[in-house]
Amino acid sequence: MLRIFIAAFVLLVSTAAHSGEVLDRMAATVNGHALLQSDVDDELRYEFFAAKRPLSEASSEDQKAALNRLVDQELLREQMHSKDFQPVADDEIAKAFETYKADYGATAWTAALTSYDETDADIRSHIETELNQLRLIDLRLRPTIQIDAQSIRDYYQQQLLPKLPPGQHLSLQEATPTIRELLIQQKMNEALESWLETLHSQAKIQHFIAGDQVK
Amino acid sequence: MLLTLSGLHEGDTLNRASLQKALRALYATGRYANLQAECDLSADGRASLTFASELNFFVGRVTVTNAPFPPGESQIVNTSKLQLGEPFTSEKLDHAMQNIQRLLQQNGYYKSSLTHAEREDPQTQQVAITFHIQPGSQAHVGEIQVEGNALYSAGQIGDIGHLHSEDDVTAQTASNAIERLRKRYQKKDRWLAQVEVAPTFQPNTNSVDYRFHIDAGPAVSIEVNGFHLSRSTIRRSIPVYEENALDDDLLTEGRRNLLTYMESRGYFEAKVTLHKETEQNTVRVIYDIDPGERHKVVKVDISGNKYFRDEDLRPSMQVQAKSILLTRGRYSDALLRSDVRDIENKYRANGFADVKVDTQVKDDYQGNNQIAVFLHINEGPQTLVGKFQITGNTTVSADSFPPLNTQPGQPFSDTNIAQDRDILLNYYFNQGFPTATFEATATPAADHRMDVVFHVTEGERVYIDQVLVSGREFTRPYVIDRELQMKSGDPLSQASLLDTQQKLYDLGIFSQVDTAVQDPDGVEPRKNVLVQVREAKRYTFNYGGGFEFQTGAGNAKQPLGGNGVSPLGSFDVSRLNFLGRNHTITFQSRVGRLQQRGLLSYEAPRWFDNPNLKLTFTAFFDHTLDVQTFTSQRLEGTVQAGQILNKFSSIDYRFNYRLVKATDIVSTLSKEQLPILSQPVRLGEPGFGYIRNRRDNDLETTRGSYLTVDAGVAASYFGSQADFSRILVQQATYHPFGKRNRELVFARSTRVGLETPFGATMISQPGQPLPPNIIPLPERFYMGGGNSHRGFGLNQAGPRDPASGFPIGGSALFLNSFELRLPPPTLPFVGTNMSFAIFHDMGNVFTDGNHMLTSLLRWHQAKGLCTQTPGTQIVDGQEAALCTYDYISHAIGLGVRYKTPVGPVRFDFGYNLNPTVFPGSICAQKDPTSGNCIVSNFTSTKQASPFNVYFSIGQTF
């Protein structure tokens, strides 16, 4: 962003029409917390960075999806204020960041940062947010999930066995931990949908339509 | 200030993060509904940064036009749930409309139309909302339909529920119908009846059909076996009857109540069980009582207590030895455990963390089934506070904190710390720290001490930006402004808001005063405070009726009057807030058999803008017959300045100009006196009245004192036709004694009055020729009645005319009253609302001060002077005309007081130990022209009745 100096500083209170370039504006509010257009842009850039998609392909649907993700993130962030939640430690974040960077590819990393106007700190911040959310979801939802033996058996017989390559053998006992975790993750995804619906219904959320200027 | 919050300054380098931070900070103030940052770039790379905003608005005045009653404007405004000062949003408005629409429908206005209009003020960011209602016609009751097992037809259900077609539907129609039906079912022992109703509006007929779904349920009978209890005891104990419902919780509570009742009768080992039996269409609820042996608690002994005395522990104990009210005492294991717990908690709250109470119960103590309960208290060491420190108070000095319970050397307890937490947080909230928090830590120290530290986190201090007053129409701005207890720049304090509200209400010119903080949840450090007033109706009308009852009133033909009831009516009109200045014009009138009075006054409080000064102008007409001798007419004007000296004392300075006249003077008074006595007299009198009130409660005084001094001088210099000074002093004291909460009160009142003529004015001596200038009859002292000497009828004390026997008042007065006010006993029906008093009144009215002084120790009237040969003429200065009334009359009596919401009403029965004796006479010769008696002959001595009864409101003194 071009660095500019603040030469004059005015707070307009009411209906004066103004024709300056809009640098940033409100995109939504969640329980009194403001989500700005720049936040939506950041989220969009990170998503495209992670997917290695060119930014030129970003559409208004992608913008909306990014804003909805930010709303969900804000609702989850409000849940992190409870005393039983411990945020992810710095070393864990650092380790995850290094892993992510290694997976991305060292040579592609620097160019991508420039291309998507991101920095290491920005990416690290996103990773921290994701890790905290995963921890919160695990803390809240995992204790509510029960997987019975019959479900594991059904999955083993109906899903796993048919997909095993010929000649490969995996017993139920060996497969049980993996199947259990898989089923837990599936149920947690369903539970997460339901939980987010509940949080949405209880929250005060206001969207500001893109293109509407403050008059 | 708002721009400072953004964190940006001119000359700064602008980047994304700082701009984001600025936008979020501005939004968090709560003042903006929307924000965007815009930039105009110049050629040299400098930029003008602009934050364009949409303002948030906050709820201001909410009014309703054309509101039907019921529900009325106030209820409609309340139901909108639009709170003063809170952010105004379209969602809130929609909810308000829905709520109001629902309320209107509940009140039968299904065809109402509701619209709204808002008026926004960008300066204050307040929005005034008005709801316009077209109520339409009220719906009426339509069809009644009944489903289920109701036992009654639809018509009968309608009759029981008072649902008649063409009745208007109101908010209570359905609920009252359900209530009546439930009661009807309960009379038939259908305690489990379920009654539901679904009203349905029929727009074509503007009526509401009621569909009842009823299940009468089985008949329920409640029986008590094993012990005979009266029906009234059962009904009192089992709350089913009181709550008109039957559920397991109530039945269980009934079991507990029955057990408590048995224990109170001495059956300390009683057991009560409950079971139900169901047969066909009947449910039987059966309480089985096994009373066990009957006991009596003869002794409850407490030992080992050093810190608390027995008197500090026993009153709150539930285990009690036998007494007059508890003939068997009270005991059970559960009660004893509860008492032990309470005693231990009491000790722990005073630092005795290791306290232990051991109990021993001995049966057959000193006799069969006699229980003695022994409690031994092992207090243990008392933990005291060692070092005490408060940290975190960076803005407020600890010296300004209110007194705290926790101090070095004081008992250490969690209870004290919890109370101190409330004290400190309350203090901080009122100093503008709404987010202050408190934590306490305690560390054991040597010698049974605890070192305590209070950690205070003050948070951000919030100040007042502006005080916005709304709702003022006629009232001058300064009238409101001078009552405000806060101003711009002050810390935001809830106490100041409440004080302001109270002071504005105290003016008496507002029917509603609301105070609130604008945008209370916003994070701005300076907030507007809203004061919204609703001016009261400026004209108020009061009317009333009543009666006076006492001896001495009623019959003007007899010297002693009679026992009389005098009806009384009143009508008052007040014009409040005259010219918007909080001045009041009042017209008051009283009309009764004994008194007709009219008063017009103009009151200007805060004279010279001083809250302690008040100026009053009064014009007054009075026509009173409460002295049998004459009717008093008085026309007067007064200007008075009142001054509040301090919390207890006030003084009034006044100038009074009046015309007084005695009319209808009894025709048997001597003909020479009539012209002098009946002449109207003009009096100009400056004076003052001083009051010092140190009573704890004006209506029900138990301690303190009360002093009034009223004095004035009527002199020709002030335009007066009679010259005399007058002073009346009353002093009362109140002393409680006896057990706390059951105190007796010994009250004493002494009243002394003296009039001293000077110049040409003289005092008339009874039975002597009248001097030409006298103190007018209506200006003299009179005494007797429910509010003075209760040994005399109304105004019957003191000197009397020898020819007629009627009282003529005096120039000196002495009255002393003693009253022993007993604590109210607990009685059936009236509870503790009735109390009794024993009184002794002594005193009299005297011709002048010298006669008063010489009579103070004289307890007997010189009755021998009041007689002469029957049939002989009564002549001034001779024989019976020399009857003297210079003695102290004593009366004793009993008073009954009943507490009402407006104060005690009082019956007093007085017995005069030495009632007045005076010459009885009969007119022997009348003036043929005027009809006045010119010759009175003595018949026999007459004596005032020793018995007197009075009915009044309020205490005697």
Side-chain angles (χ1 to χ4, degrees), chain A residues 18-74:
Chain A
H18 208 262
S19 58
E21 181 191 344
V22 176
L23 298 181
D24 202 354
R25 61 172 191 81
M26 309 236 323
T29 61
V30 179
N31 290 332
H33 177 84
L35 296 174
L36 305 174
Q37 186 58 48
S38 53
D39 295 326
V40 177
D41 294 340
D42 282 344
E43 177 66 18
L44 196 66
R45 278 202 308 281
Y46 174 70
E47 186 202 343
F48 275 55
F49 170 88
K52 296 178 184 172
R53 283 175 62 191
L55 273 174
S56 54
E57 287 178 10
S59 66
S60 58
E61 294 303 319
D62 294 319
Q63 290 257 347
K64 271 189 202 161
L67 178 57
N68 287 338
R69 274 200 306 280
L70 283 177
V71 170
D72 289 346
Q73 285 175 20
E74 178 55 31

Side-chain angles (χ1 to χ4, degrees), chain A residues 80 82-89 92 131-132 135-136 139:
Chain A
M80 292 177 193
S82 65
K83 281 188 181 168
D84 60 343
F85 177 77
Q86 295 297 325
V88 176
E92 223 176 306
L131 288 175
N132 278 323
R135 175 170 285 199
L136 175 73
L139 180 70

Side-chain angles (χ1 to χ4, degrees), chain B residues 8 360 404 413 794 904 909:
Chain B
L8 296 175
Q360 188 185 11
L404 299 173
S413 78
L794 183 64
F909 304 91

Side-chain angles (χ1 to χ4, degrees), chain A residues 11-208:
Chain A
L11 185 67
L12 287 185
V13 181
S14 90
T15 57
H18 208 262
S19 58
E21 181 191 344
V22 176
L23 298 181
D24 202 354
R25 61 172 191 81
M26 309 236 323
T29 61
V30 179
N31 290 332
H33 177 84
L35 296 174
L36 305 174
Q37 186 58 48
S38 53
D39 295 326
V40 177
D41 294 340
D42 282 344
E43 177 66 18
L44 196 66
R45 278 202 308 281
Y46 174 70
E47 186 202 343
F48 275 55
F49 170 88
K52 296 178 184 172
R53 283 175 62 191
L55 273 174
S56 54
E57 287 178 10
S59 66
S60 58
E61 294 303 319
D62 294 319
Q63 290 257 347
K64 271 189 202 161
L67 178 57
N68 287 338
R69 274 200 306 280
L70 283 177
V71 170
D72 289 346
Q73 285 175 20
E74 178 55 31
L75 289 172
L76 291 177
R77 196 185 347 261
E78 285 173 3
Q79 300 297 312
M80 292 177 193
H81 293 148
S82 65
K83 281 188 181 168
D84 60 343
F85 177 77
Q86 295 297 325
V88 176
D90 286 344
D91 55 350
E92 223 176 306
I93 299 169
K95 192 174 162 192
F97 174 73
E98 292 305 326
T99 307
Y100 183 87
K101 192 172 171 181
D103 290 345
Y104 202 90
T107 41
W109 181 261
T110 312
L113 285 182
T114 309
S115 169
Y116 290 92
D117 194 19
E118 294 278 9
T119 62
D120 277 1
D122 293 336
I123 304 301
R124 190 190 164 98
S125 172
H126 282 288
I127 290 172
E128 181 182 0
T129 300
E130 285 172 0
L131 288 175
N132 278 323
Q133 283 173 7
L134 287 171
R135 175 170 285 199
L136 175 73
I137 292 165
D138 210 66
L139 180 70
R140 285 278 183 271
L141 299 181
R142 186 177 285 270
T144 67
I145 309 293
Q146 299 286 339
I147 305 293
D148 58 23
Q150 183 60 42
S151 303
I152 296 174
R153 218 174 357 258
D154 289 343
Y155 187 89
Y156 175 77
Q157 284 165 0
Q158 292 164 20
Q159 304 285 336
L160 185 64
L161 280 184
K163 289 179 184 156
L164 277 181
Q168 192 168 355
H169 176 70
L170 189 64
S171 72
L172 175 61
Q173 197 176 353
E174 287 167 339
T176 292
T178 310
I179 295 173
R180 185 191 303 277
E181 185 56 31
L182 197 70
L183 291 174
I184 286 175
Q185 289 296 330
Q186 279 180 357
K187 284 203 184 288
M188 277 174 61
N189 282 338
E190 290 165 15
L192 178 61
E193 291 283 332
S194 173
W195 187 28
L196 283 172
E197 266 179 39
T198 306
L199 290 176
H200 270 264
S201 68
Q202 291 168 351
K204 198 177 154 204
I205 300 171
Q206 185 183 6
H207 287 260
F208 296 90

Side-chain angles (χ1 to χ4, degrees), chain B residues 861-890:
Chain B
Q861 186 184 12
K863 296 179 187 173
L865 295 175
C866 303
T867 185
Q868 65 186 50
T869 306
T872 56
Q873 186 183 357
I874 298 173
V875 179
D876 284 346
Q878 296 178 17
E879 294 190 289
L882 295 174
C883 186
T884 173
Y885 306 89
D886 298 331
Y887 75 107
I888 297 293
S889 175
H890 292 257

Side-chain angles (χ1 to χ4, degrees), chain A residues 1-16 18-27 29 32-36 38-39 42 45 117-118 122 204-206 208 212-215, chain B residues 2-4 6 8-16 19-21 23-24 26-28 32-41 45-55 87 89 91 122 125:
Chain A
M1 183 176 176
L2 184 67
R3 286 172 185 251
I4 52 179
F5 291 86
I6 303 172
F9 197 22
V10 173
L11 185 67
L12 287 185
V13 181
S14 90
T15 57
H18 208 262
S19 58
E21 181 191 344
V22 176
L23 298 181
D24 202 354
R25 61 172 191 81
M26 309 236 323
T29 61
H33 177 84
L35 296 174
L36 305 174
S38 53
D39 295 326
D42 282 344
R45 278 202 308 281
D117 194 19
E118 294 278 9
D122 293 336
K204 198 177 154 204
I205 300 171
Q206 185 183 6
F208 296 90
D212 269 2
Q213 298 287 312
V214 172
K215 293 194 175 56
Chain B
L2 286 169
L3 292 176
T4 312
S6 71
L8 296 175
H9 306 94
E10 288 195 20
D12 285 356
T13 300
L14 185 64
N15 58 43
R16 186 168 62 202
L19 191 59
Q20 284 178 331
K21 194 174 163 193
L23 277 170
R24 281 194 238 278
L26 286 171
Y27 182 74
Y32 307 103
N34 197 357
L35 282 162
Q36 67 189 28
E38 298 173 0
C39 177
D40 288 311
L41 200 58
R46 302 189 81 81
S48 288
L49 180 65
T50 304
F51 289 99
S53 65
E54 264 178 39
L55 290 176
T89 64
E91 290 85 12
Q125 289 184 257

